[in-house]
Each structure stands twice: as structure tokens, then as C-alpha cells.
Amino acid sequence: IAPVYFMENAIAFGRAQLKEGVYATALGPDRKLAQIALADIASFAVLALENKDRFAGKRYDIAGDDVSGNEAVAILSRVTGKPFKYFQVPMENIRKMSDDMVTMYEWFDRVGYHIDLVALKRDFPSVGWHSFEAWAKEQDWKSILGG
């Protein structure tokens, strides 16, 4: 199983910005990024463990959605009822945190993941695959945003 960027990163690394109505990443606002909810990883792992023969010797890149920063802002605004705006974090700021993170974001921007979401949902429907919006609707935004 090769998961992609976690939807939960929006909260884990961006809680302070979200409280200010800002969704921020180092990617351009229109660059799509394949993302997955942690619950989907767990569901897929259980499926693989329970069906070893089906999964033996195979590799799967998994994701639940492919959204841009602008799309994430629209979804968060709709789901929370709070207006969000997008902010592209300068790469210099990311570099202060980690060279590995710079490498990761540069790869996301230059290459990115190419995952057949339709095939995943068709071939593994029991996983439940969260869209970014479905994931967002499951979050406790009142607690996250401090209101």
C-alpha cells in the first residue's frame, strides 16, 4: 500500500491558519494533490490483511480524492460555513522546516501522483473512499476552529 498525502495534514499542520480562515500549502492554488483520509488507509489495510491472496505481490497507490488548494478552500468554506482563503506558503518557509519537505513539495508540483480514483472505487468499494468534502464533513470544526 502506498498512501499519498493525508487529508488530516490540513488540521495537523495548519490548525492555527485554519482558525484564521486560511488554508495554506506550498503548492500553487490550482495544483491538484491526491489525498487520502487515514480511515481509508485503515480500511484498505484490513481488506488486504483479510484477502492476502488477492493482494500478495501487488502494490497499490491509494487516494480518496484529488483536490487543488482552491477546491479545498471552497469545500472548507461550504462545510464549515466560515469563509476560507488560500495562501501559498513560500518555499523558503518550508526550507526552514526541512529540506525533505522541500523535496516532497517540489515533487508534488513537478510530478505529483497519478492515481485512478475511479478504478480504486470500482475495485475496492468496501473501503468507503472519502472525498475531501466527505472527510471534511466528519471533522469537529467547532472544536478545531475554536468556536
Side-chain angles (χ1 to χ4, degrees), residues 12 18 21 25 31-33 36 44 50 58 66-67 74 86 90 99-100 104 106 110 114 123 140-141 143 145:
L18 291 171
T25 75
R31 180 65 163 115
K32 290 189 177 264
L33 178 63
I36 191 164
F44 196 84
E50 291 177 347
K58 296 180 182 166
D66 192 26
V67 295
Y86 185 79
D99 285 336
D100 287 341
M104 176 185 73
E106 287 174 342
R110 201 176 57 255
H114 302 284
D123 295 345
D140 180 1
W141 292 107
S143 173
L145 301 175

Side-chain angles (χ1 to χ4, degrees), residues 12-138:
F13 299 115
R15 186 180 298 260
Q17 292 87 356
L18 291 171
K19 287 181 178 182
E20 298 299 319
V22 175
Y23 178 83
T25 75
L27 299 175
D30 295 318
R31 180 65 163 115
K32 290 189 177 264
L33 178 63
Q35 300 182 40
I36 191 164
L38 291 175
D40 293 349
I41 295 172
S43 292
F44 196 84
V46 168
L47 183 66
L49 290 169
E50 291 177 347
N51 297 277
K52 292 176 185 170
D53 291 342
R54 180 179 181 191
F55 288 84
K58 296 180 182 166
R59 174 194 161 102
Y60 292 94
D61 290 325
I62 59 175
D65 208 348
D66 192 26
V67 295
S68 70
N70 283 336
E71 290 168 334
V73 163
I75 290 166
L76 292 174
S77 297
R78 186 170 50 252
V79 168
T80 66
K82 175 181 178 165
F84 279 84
K85 57 187 169 193
Y86 185 79
F87 176 74
Q88 184 174 353
V89 179
M91 202 56 74
E92 301 80 52
N93 292 17
I94 303 297
R95 194 172 312 285
K96 291 175 187 174
M97 294 186 291
S98 162
D99 285 336
D100 287 341
M101 286 184 71
V102 169
T103 301
M104 176 185 73
Y105 279 111
E106 287 174 342
W107 184 84
F108 285 160
D109 191 45
R110 201 176 57 255
V111 179
Y113 292 101
H114 302 284
I115 297 173
D116 188 344
L117 298 175
V118 172
L120 280 174
K121 291 173 185 178
R122 179 195 64 229
D123 295 345
F124 307 106
S126 65
V127 170
W129 306 110
H130 287 75
S131 66
F132 189 80
E133 185 158 354
W135 168 83
K137 287 178 178 177
E138 292 179 357

